Amino acid sequence: MLKKTQGIVLNYLKYKETSIIVKIFTRELGLKSYLVHSVRTQGKGSKIALYQPLTLLDLVVYDKENSGLQRISEAKILHPHRLIPFDFARTSIALFMTEVINRSIYEGYQNDWLFDFLVESISTLDRQDCIVGHFPLVFLVEKAKYLGFAPETAGGFLVESVHHPFPAEEMVPALSYLESLIEDRFLCQFKISVAIRRKLLDHLLDFHSEHLDQASPVKSLPIIRQLMS
């Protein structure tokens, strides 16, 4: 059955000589894997640009029950990125986002609230006025909300964890910073030391791993930590 939906490209694997298997988080159908033929070709006919990480797509797809790989009938870019592919900081954060999203959801998982939040996050990252230094932390704090395990208070992100990275002298500024991230979201302009910001980033990733039962480290973390210097 043909269905129309919007989708966010997460990643793809090369398949045979010119094809790919692409993972797309769709609004109506959830996370799906699609086999796309003849996109890794040379010249003007190549459509591989459609399937770069975090590309927002308008899709018409074949949706068959009990079928692993699905197929795409039509795909076009919904909102072309202006800055993400051309700015190292934004490209790095985009890769971080795709890795974190991939670790958070599973094949068939559907959550239109999460989808809308991800679209908002991608659009924000692509804006000139985006504050990239705070962005990864806001993303993790907000994503916990849409996945259903965000605490009711800023302090909950610390006490509801087996890890506790902050000594007594850093607790007050760390909590104030967390409160600002929660309240101001992507508009946060809180002034905080690089050391506390990096500790909080590490802690929020640990917090997600505890709730999602994932022990493997985030591969893109070293690059994101460098961006916070």
Side-chain angles (χ1 to χ4, degrees):
M1 179 184 296
L2 282 173
K3 293 185 178 179
K4 293 186 67 175
T5 188
Q6 294 178 352
I8 302 168
V9 177
L10 297 184
N11 57 29
Y12 69 81
L13 297 173
K14 295 178 182 178
Y15 179 74
K16 296 187 176 179
E17 290 189 6
T18 62
S19 303
I20 60 172
I21 296 171
V22 58
K23 289 179 69 173
I24 302 177
F25 184 45
T26 70
R27 192 176 195 279
E28 284 79 15
L29 306 173
L31 179 61
K32 296 285 186 178
S33 295
Y34 295 97
L35 177 60
V36 187
H37 290 295
S38 304
V39 290
R40 291 168 41 235
T41 54
Q42 300 292 328
K44 295 182 179 179
S46 175
K47 295 184 178 180
I48 196 64
L50 289 172
Y51 302 105
Q52 299 307 304
L54 295 193
T55 303
L56 304 176
L57 296 176
D58 253 335
L59 296 164
V60 179
V61 299
Y62 296 97
D63 190 57
K64 295 181 180 180
E65 291 187 13
N66 304 318
S67 177
L69 287 177
Q70 309 283 356
R71 295 181 183 270
I72 296 173
S73 175
E74 299 176 27
K76 61 181 181 180
I77 293 178
L78 182 60
H79 298 296
H81 296 325
R82 297 174 300 167
L83 299 176
I84 291 174
F86 312 107
D87 179 88
F88 175 76
R90 287 175 170 80
T91 301
S92 300
I93 292 172
L95 293 174
F96 171 79
M97 290 170 66
T98 58
E99 186 177 359
V100 170
I101 297 165
N102 271 311
R103 292 161 58 93
S104 304
I105 60 178
Y106 49 85
E107 193 79 15
Y109 177 83
Q110 192 273 335
N111 182 332
D112 50 3
W113 290 349
L114 175 63
F115 180 90
D116 292 342
F117 161 68
L118 294 178
V119 171
E120 177 198 3
S121 302
I122 296 164
S123 300
T124 299
L125 182 63
D126 201 46
R127 292 208 312 257
Q128 188 69 50
D129 60 352
C130 174
I131 305 171
V132 296
H134 299 302
F135 188 98
L137 294 102
V138 177
F139 180 73
L140 292 172
V141 167
E142 288 289 300
K143 189 169 71 67
K145 180 193 307 181
Y146 290 96
L147 289 175
F149 56 81
E152 293 183 3
T153 64
F157 279 97
L158 301 180
V159 300
E160 295 179 22
S161 172
V162 296
H163 302 282
H164 202 305
F166 299 106
E169 64 271 17
E170 292 181 344
M171 278 297 293
V172 172
L175 279 173
S176 296
Y177 182 38
L178 257 174
E179 289 168 354
S180 180
L181 292 172
I182 293 169
E183 182 175 351
D184 299 330
R185 303 179 75 242
F186 294 116
L187 298 177
C188 176
Q189 299 187 37
F190 195 92
K191 303 296 184 183
I192 195 73
S193 71
V194 172
I196 291 180
R197 200 150 31 117
R198 285 177 173 173
K199 280 185 182 180
L200 186 57
L201 174 67
D202 294 346
H203 175 73
L204 289 173
L205 286 170
D206 286 340
F207 183 83
H208 275 67
S209 294
E210 290 171 25
H211 285 81
L212 298 170
D213 194 24
Q214 292 178 336
S216 59
V218 174
K219 295 179 181 178
S220 55
L221 178 59
I223 299 174
I224 299 302
R225 293 181 92 251
Q226 274 192 327
L227 294 176
M228 293 184 168
S229 60

